[in-house]
Amino acid sequence: MYSVKTNSEYHLETWQSTQIELRTKLGEVVYKNWFEKLSFSKLENEAIHLTAPTRFIRDWVLNNYFQTLLEAVNKFAPSISEIVIGLNDQKAQSVTFNNNNDSVGGLARNDSYISKNVEQEKMQMCEFYDFSLDPKYTFDNFIVGDSNILAFNAALNAANGNMRISSIKTLYIHSDVGMGKTHLLQSIASYIRANNNAKVLYLSAERFMHLFLKSLKSNQLIDFKERLKSCDILLVDDLQFICGKNATAFEFANILTALSESNKVVVVAADVSPFQLNLETRSKSRLIGGLVVDITPPDFDLRLKIIESKCQIQKANIPSNILHNLAKNVTSSVRELEGALNKLIAHSSLQNIDIDQQLVKRVLKENYQSAIVKIGLDQILKSVCKYFNTEIEDILSKSRLKKFAHPRQIAAYLMKELTNKSYADIGKALGNRDHASIIYFTKQIESKLTSCESLKIEIEQLKDIICG
Ligand code: ADP
Ligand code: MG
């Protein structure tokens, strides 16, 4: 049915770029399990046509990764709004997904739904239970350390039913972005689905709003409310997006009240504390009155453990000095740390090269940038002096002896390379010199670097010492 010959090279390239994007974003395991097995058929009008080897893979991808896949395709082909996945078996029906009929998302799990009529689809509208659960978010994959143990234990308590029998019925987890809130909330949902019969519903705040507005438009509001109120445990992620005094916030408050009054459990995550939420007092005080835990940034040990675990999951064999280097330098969030690792793995496997410090430096330039900003001029000066075994005063002095002038020029060069400081600032730090001297020093080093191998080595070694 699909002929590769009819696709232009451009279309195929779009798919190949999408694959790289997915691989980087989702990691090797998820990519290999679901996306590597899809083959590209064509781009036509506003649809991308793919082929899956089995019904299961087709449905899993559409149910769990539709949005991710569409976003990845849109990076390279912004006009695409539909994903059509056919099966290798020519007789089998293909399934189409687009942003407007995403209710099909909850239905594609079962092929009998494919032929159901629109009315039936509408009735199923709120059945999104599986839609955004990511199978990689489990308690087993969550690495615990000082900064997240409270949140982890509280989430486990919610999952194993302890909260249902305790007097505290709401759990509020907050942290900066990328610290594991979504991972924990989805772990609760997956755990409950696998281990007991409680009715659990996981919704991002965005999805909550989307379903609410959709049900409002299609006169299904009562059904929407009933479904939410019938949950034993409701999980709402990124609550900060539900804010203000609008209809959605009001409805959320109603549902929260109804669930709390009937002894049901509500777990929410947000990137602000409940005190900072822009919600009406009724919801806020209910949430503040429950259990509130935060996740603080992981320390080096936890970052290292997390990155080692991510490597194990992906079966990636990366030397431990490189993992140390990543854990030391990528400090802003676990998401950034994981993204850095995925980027490395993707580059190494696509270019078929080993992961070494060179590749780390090249690929993670942006990640290092944040570490670079934190490097002080003092730190560079001290490292250079130590490396050349000279005294700071000699470097700062006016002496033109080569044994002082050489390290001085290198210090100026590194200060310019590794910080955002101006020539004038660097001049001040290097013995109150003017900016023209610093420009001269850095130009000297730059021109020597093109031919002098030993200078290159000195600079590389010094950068390693300074950046860690
Ligand atoms: P948040 O919801 O707080 O913004 P996420 O839950 O999306 O953060 O986490 C970002 C990424 O970091 C996810 O891939 C998640 O699996 C990972 N992550 C965060 N904390 C941990 C942890 N303690 N152990 C393992 N992975 C973690
Ligand atoms: Mg999140």
Side-chain angles (χ1 to χ4, degrees), residues 216-453:
L216 202 63
K217 268 195 210 152
S218 57
N219 284 330
Q220 304 255 320
L221 191 55
I222 296 179
D223 186 47
F224 170 75
K225 288 189 206 172
E226 285 315 308
R227 276 178 192 279
L228 262 65
K229 286 182 195 164
S230 73
C231 291
D232 296 311
I233 169 160
L234 174 66
L235 308 159
V236 182
D237 204 354
D238 284 321
L239 184 69
Q240 71 278 359
F241 290 129
I242 299 179
C243 56
K245 287 195 165 75
N246 52 39
T248 323
F250 181 73
E251 208 44 64
F252 175 76
N254 284 344
I255 287 165
L256 186 61
T257 306
L259 288 173
S260 307
E261 284 173 356
S262 49
N263 266 335
K264 306 288 187 61
V265 172
V266 178
V267 181
V268 300
D271 63 14
V272 293
S273 86
F275 297 96
Q276 295 165 299
L277 274 181
N278 179 14
L279 268 183
E280 60 172 78
T281 334
R282 192 164 50 127
S283 310
K284 259 168 98 160
S285 54
R286 211 170 267 287
L287 293 171
I288 291 166
L291 179 60
V292 178
V293 292
D294 69 341
I295 304 177
T296 51
D299 58 14
F300 172 78
D301 286 347
L302 181 55
R303 291 201 298 275
L304 186 61
K305 276 191 203 151
I306 291 175
I307 201 157
E308 283 169 348
S309 142
K310 302 281 175 195
C311 272
Q312 232 177 14
I313 292 172
Q314 304 211 36
K315 298 195 172 59
N317 198 5
I318 300 184
S320 72
N321 62 328
I322 296 213
L323 297 183
H324 271 78
N325 200 346
L326 283 180
K328 189 165 174 207
N329 285 292
V330 187
T331 55
S332 55
S333 77
V334 182
R335 179 173 300 138
E336 202 194 341
L337 189 61
E338 193 177 358
L341 178 70
N342 289 342
K343 238 193 242 180
L344 263 187
I345 295 174
H347 274 260
S348 120
S349 104
L350 290 169
Q351 298 170 40
N352 206 13
I353 50 175
D354 284 342
I355 297 181
D356 57 12
Q357 296 287 11
Q358 272 323 99
L359 183 67
V360 175
K361 274 186 199 159
R362 192 154 54 77
V363 170
L364 303 185
K365 227 172 169 187
E366 313 97 81
N367 298 75
Y368 274 111
Q369 225 59 51
S370 53
I372 282 168
V373 176
K374 290 178 209 137
I375 296 170
L377 296 181
D378 264 13
Q379 188 186 342
I380 295 174
L381 187 59
K382 277 186 199 147
S383 305
V384 171
C385 287
K386 195 165 171 206
Y387 184 86
F388 288 104
N389 205 12
T390 47
E391 297 299 323
I392 290 187
E393 301 87 76
D394 293 327
I395 299 276
L396 302 186
S397 74
K398 303 284 175 228
S399 166
R400 292 188 182 189
L401 286 176
K402 188 162 185 256
K403 63 177 178 180
F404 304 139
H406 179 65
R408 186 182 300 132
Q409 291 188 349
I410 288 189
Y413 171 84
L414 288 173
M415 286 172 174
K416 196 64 206 151
E417 268 267 300
L418 300 179
T419 74
N420 295 332
K421 299 289 184 191
S422 66
Y423 287 115
D425 288 339
I426 295 173
K428 248 187 233 157
L430 268 182
N432 264 331
R433 291 180 150 79
D434 61 15
H435 79 285
S437 308
I438 305 303
I439 294 176
Y440 172 75
F441 292 164
T442 52
K443 291 270 176 278
Q444 282 290 97
I445 298 292
E446 273 165 17
S447 74
K448 284 183 201 159
L449 268 177
T450 55
S451 54
C452 180
E453 217 32 57

Side-chain angles (χ1 to χ4, degrees), residues 136-137 141-144 148 175-184 237-238 302 306 309-310 334-335 338:
K136 74 175 195 270
Y137 291 153
N141 289 344
F142 192 85
I143 310 298
V144 182
N148 59 23
S175 75
D176 287 342
V177 293
M179 298 294 182
K181 298 181 297 295
T182 297
H183 189 136
L184 282 178
D237 204 354
D238 284 321
L302 181 55
I306 291 175
S309 142
K310 302 281 175 195
V334 182
R335 179 173 300 138
E338 193 177 358

